Amino acid sequence: MQKAPFITSYLTEHTADDAFATLAGYRAHGGYEAARRALTQMSPEQVVELLKDAGLQGRGGAGFSTGMKWSFMPKDSDKPKYLVCNADESEPGSFKDRLLLERAPHQMLEGILIGAFATGADKTFVYVRGEYAHPANVLQRALDECYAAGIFGANCLGTDLRHDVVVTRGAGAYICGEETGLLESLEGKKGQPRKKPPFPAQFGAFGMPTTVNNVETFSHVPHVVAKGADWFRGFGTEKSPGTTIFGVSGHVKRPGLYELPLGTRLDEIVFEHAGGPPDGRKVKGVIPGGMSMPILPASQLDVPMANEFLRERKTMLGTGGVMVMHDATCMVRVGCIITYFFRDESCGQCTQCREGTGWLHKIMQRIERGAGSPADLDLLLDVASKMEGQTICAFADAAAWPVQGLLRHFREDFEEHVKQGKCPFPESFEL
Amino acid sequence: MVISDAVRSAIDAEIAKYPEKRGALLAALHLVQREHGWIAPETAKAIAEIFEIRAIEVMEVVTFYNMFLDRPQGRHQVRVCTNLPCSLRGARELVHTLEQHLGVEAGETTPDGRIHLGHEECLGACAWAPMMRIDDTYYENLDAEQAKKILDSLK
Ligand SMILES: Cc1cc2nc3c(=O)[nH]c(=O)nc-3n(C[C@H](O)[C@H](O)[C@H](O)COP(=O)(O)O)c2cc1C
Ligand code: SF4
């Protein structure tokens, strides 16, 4: 992978430097000074307030306020409390957390240490997807350095804070990115999401109060503490402050990572930064935030990449995974790949999800083969709508949304398949 | 002896990291699979004894996760990502090329037991597509010739 994004900002400024992954290299850029300041000069409440003021929102997909989430951790409980760092990164089109794990592990660990202080957590489990063997090794090395230097353990940074960090490896299951599926997996079980309530802040890992945050979310924290809420709000929009790392893939000249302020326009990312489609082709559609998020047609790329604007176009920022498709692309084939993925990864607990994802894929394939009927288009929408808001976790919604998006903007592609009895896009990617 | 002493003590070190023993089950399965290549029924039984659970519970976990194998599958696991970002950049064509090159279809093992070829969902390498994972290592920005050479070099 590339060592640094094509465009960097505070999160990725030093990731091109191999030394930045080591403790000495990280310290050379002021590393762990923000944690020192939090642990020695602030109260936990002040840290939480600072994050609320900064308006940092989770970068794992749901965009919830990090300060708020930290404030939900019970204060007067005598049970052990846990943090979980979600490094499961399995949303198709997302690959930013991998960079942060491989190239800036200490930045994330410093965020975790500050989080431990603010929430009173005893231990953090970093749950790394099983396939990320190399990132997990880099992280473990960084953690070993921290223990040797007294950053974690019985007296973190020489204070009386005790905190331990454990690196846990997953084993290949998308659903373990969902926070309660992750908690089950952490307990050594099948990663099947839990019914909520109770929420993790009351009943989380091993039944104890738990807060789950994404790798990138933790990585922003030291910067907020070091430079303040106003500084942080100098990036992004009023409602969505800070930068994020966009991962651009598919039909562009310069696929890769780009750290840009939230609110950067999608067409700027696709054309100016990533160079647009190669071979003189035009853009047909762009999925703006990982595969669960509905697609946008070429005519709607003038949207700022922040949820308050994306919602108006019936889509969301998700994980910032931008997938670009050029004008030879068959959107029914895109639908086949998407529905196959969700069919394959459903954990099977809820009927609507287990059956619905199977149906969506079957109908999609039928249409792609040219064997679909006109009624199949509405059947897709009917199945999708019955999957929304009905299930234990948001996976079923995430499976329904992209299908709705494809039909909202590319219904013609589906109609042509039915009319012609075959796929009308001979130059599209192979299935 | 089903589980070697070295792996057994590595499992004990993992168990010490969790408030409940079972938290280390996935770590234990990774360790055992690295040594044995897969999780055989008698291995599952030995793991179950360590964790004080039933063998069927171990197998439920094994079958839930893609990376754990409940049957022997060749010495090297070759997985080509065929999710959307990779498919847009030629991953399916790459799978077909490798199928022809190895003389097996995706999902099968070469007769000499050297390579199990399969496709996989997104591996977080979308900008460097097409790509494949061989055991624990990623190979990115592949073209057909390079990919064939890499497979040929596997013992
Ligand atoms: C199906 C599904 C998959 C998810 N996968 C991930 C993931 O891989 N990584 C992640 O950080 N969050 C993922 N999430 C979101 C988590 O449930 C959770 O909201 C997040 O980790 C919270 O961290 P944040 O507040 O810092 O964003 C997923 C959610 C769902 C419904
Ligand atoms: S919605 Fe799907 S993935 Fe989520 S718990 Fe239900 S069956 Fe499992």
Side-chain angles (χ1 to χ4, degrees):
Chain A
M1 83 184 303
Q2 75 202 96
K3 291 182 170 185
F6 289 118
I7 297 177
T8 62
S9 187
Y10 56 89
L11 280 181
T12 55
E13 195 181 348
H14 304 295
T15 58
D17 178 5
D18 291 342
F20 196 66
T22 67
L23 181 55
Y26 185 61
R27 281 202 151 135
H29 295 287
Y32 292 103
E33 286 311 311
R36 188 179 303 282
R37 158 154 3 142
L39 269 58
T40 59
Q41 294 171 29
M42 296 173 78
S43 67
E45 292 74 23
Q46 283 174 322
V47 176
V48 169
E49 285 310 309
L50 174 62
L51 284 170
K52 282 190 196 165
D53 290 344
L56 173 61
Q57 291 157 355
R59 300 294 199 251
F64 193 79
S65 156
T66 305
M68 287 282 276
K69 198 183 262 190
W70 289 8
S71 74
F72 295 155
M73 281 284 261
K75 277 161 208 71
D76 40 13
S77 146
D78 50 6
K79 291 182 191 163
K81 291 186 268 183
Y82 300 124
L83 289 184
V84 170
C85 176
N86 190 340
D88 193 54
E89 188 163 70
S90 311
E91 174 76 6
S94 313
F95 46 102
K96 65 187 173 70
D97 294 343
R98 182 175 160 212
L99 176 93
L100 293 172
L101 291 163
E102 278 186 18
R103 310 293 309 174
H106 284 288
Q107 176 174 262
M108 180 189 89
L109 288 169
E110 184 173 8
I112 286 172
L113 181 53
I114 296 168
F117 174 71
T119 59
D122 300 85
K123 207 176 234 195
T124 297
F125 299 98
V126 185
Y127 186 95
V128 186
R129 69 176 294 184
E131 296 87 350
Y132 279 4
H134 178 60
N137 288 339
V138 174
L139 177 62
Q140 186 62 55
R141 269 203 301 277
L143 189 57
D144 292 345
E145 287 183 298
C146 286
Y147 271 98
I151 293 169
F152 287 109
N155 300 96
C156 297
L157 290 171
T159 67
D160 55 12
L161 182 76
R162 179 186 180 100
H163 194 76
D164 288 303
V165 179
V166 173
V167 178
T168 301
R169 280 183 68 195
Y174 169 72
I175 197 58
C176 293
E178 196 277 345
E179 58 186 15
T180 62
L182 189 161
L183 296 175
E184 288 290 300
S185 181
L186 197 57
E187 295 180 5
K189 302 173 188 154
K190 295 187 280 184
Q192 292 186 317
R194 299 175 180 171
K195 288 201 182 75
K196 285 144 280 213
F199 290 97
Q202 272 69 50
F203 190 90
F206 305 97
M208 301 302 162
T210 302
T211 294
V212 184
N213 279 118
N214 168 260
V215 170
E216 186 191 326
T217 311
F218 278 119
S219 302
H220 284 278
V221 169
H223 297 277
V224 176
V225 170
K227 294 165 235 170
D230 288 340
W231 168 85
F232 188 72
R233 286 188 168 278
F235 299 87
T237 68
E238 196 195 328
K239 294 209 172 99
S240 305
T243 64
T244 196
I245 308 173
F246 294 103
V248 187
S249 63
H251 296 143
V252 289
K253 290 192 191 116
R254 282 186 301 282
L257 292 159
Y258 296 84
E259 186 185 353
L260 293 161
L262 287 169
T264 302
R265 270 172 51 156
L266 182 54
D267 48 8
E268 181 187 327
I269 297 172
V270 170
F271 294 104
E272 271 176 53
H273 301 310
D279 310 323
R281 291 225 171 251
K282 292 197 169 54
V283 169
K284 181 166 179 177
V286 178
I287 298 177
M291 211 159 85
S292 308
M293 297 304 150
I295 193 167
L296 290 170
S299 59
Q300 291 199 26
L301 306 185
D302 56 342
V303 60
M305 291 288 278
N307 275 330
E308 66 269 28
F309 301 101
L310 287 160
R311 256 190 227 110
E312 289 173 14
R313 314 264 172 127
K314 294 196 157 81
T315 187
M316 297 231 292
L317 179 70
T319 57
V322 174
M323 287 176 264
V324 182
M325 285 148 267
H326 65 40
D327 51 8
T329 307
C330 169
M331 288 299 173
V332 181
R333 290 189 196 181
V334 170
C336 286
I337 291 188
I338 294 176
T339 52
Y340 176 87
F341 172 76
F342 285 107
R343 191 203 68 182
D344 221 36
E345 297 290 340
S346 166
C347 87
Q349 284 189 101
C350 318
T351 316
Q352 296 92 332
C353 175
R354 189 182 59 241
E355 301 296 321
T357 52
W359 275 104
L360 290 178
H361 183 243
K362 211 168 162 172
I363 304 165
M364 252 335 150
Q365 274 193 314
R366 184 157 78 207
I367 297 173
E368 172 56 24
R369 277 201 317 271
S373 73
D376 278 344
L377 278 58
D378 288 327
L379 186 57
L380 278 174
L381 290 175
D382 188 45
V383 173
S385 74
K386 293 205 169 87
M387 293 166 66
E388 272 183 290
Q390 304 282 326
T391 50
I392 293 175
C393 88
F395 176 98
D397 307 78
W401 293 332
V403 171
Q404 293 165 340
L406 285 170
L407 276 153
R408 181 152 60 236
H409 299 300
F410 300 100
R411 199 176 171 101
E412 261 181 24
D413 279 22
F414 290 76
E415 287 168 348
E416 279 305 305
H417 279 76
V418 173
K419 213 186 286 169
Q420 297 187 22
K422 63 178 173 63
C423 176
F425 298 97
E427 287 178 59
S428 183
F429 69 90
E430 247 184 68
L431 207 53
Chain B
M1 197 181 356
V2 185
I3 293 173
S4 71
D5 290 343
V7 167
R8 179 59 216 247
S9 50
I11 291 175
D12 287 338
E14 287 296 328
I15 288 174
K17 297 178 182 174
Y18 296 87
E20 289 171 19
K21 214 176 194 181
R22 185 154 176 183
L25 181 57
L26 266 61
L29 289 168
H30 276 299
L31 285 162
V32 172
Q33 185 165 287
R34 190 176 308 154
E35 191 172 62
H36 296 205
W38 65 298
I39 308 293
E42 62 271 22
T43 328
K45 217 169 134 227
I47 295 172
E49 272 163 31
I50 298 175
F51 284 91
E52 298 170 281
I53 55 179
R54 289 172 300 145
I56 179 83
E57 292 178 86
V58 175
M59 287 321 288
E60 273 174 12
V61 169
V62 168
T63 50
F64 184 83
Y65 295 94
N66 295 335
M67 289 179 78
F68 296 138
L69 309 175
D70 62 356
R71 65 201 67 172
Q73 275 198 349
R75 287 193 294 285
H76 298 286
Q77 306 299 314
V78 175
R79 297 283 181 276
V80 182
C81 170
T82 51
N83 204 295
L84 184 57
C86 277
S87 285
L88 292 172
R89 296 179 82 92
R92 309 264 165 163
E93 290 84 342
L94 180 64
V95 173
H96 296 151
T97 306
L98 298 184
E99 284 176 334
Q100 279 176 359
H101 187 65
L102 296 173
V104 296
E105 290 196 3
E108 295 176 350
T109 306
T110 54
D112 59 2
R114 200 166 58 93
I115 290 174
H116 181 270
L117 179 68
H119 53 82
E120 195 156 55
E121 298 302 350
C122 185
L123 288 165
C126 316
W128 311 288
M131 66 83 65
M132 61 186 175
R133 171 171 78 85
I134 301 181
D135 305 323
D136 272 348
T137 309
Y138 279 21
Y139 297 86
E140 302 174 327
N141 280 322
L142 293 171
D143 62 42
E145 289 315 307
Q146 260 176 315
K148 284 195 260 183
K149 259 193 213 128
I150 295 167
L151 294 199
D152 290 344
S153 73
L154 297 174
K155 294 271 170 312

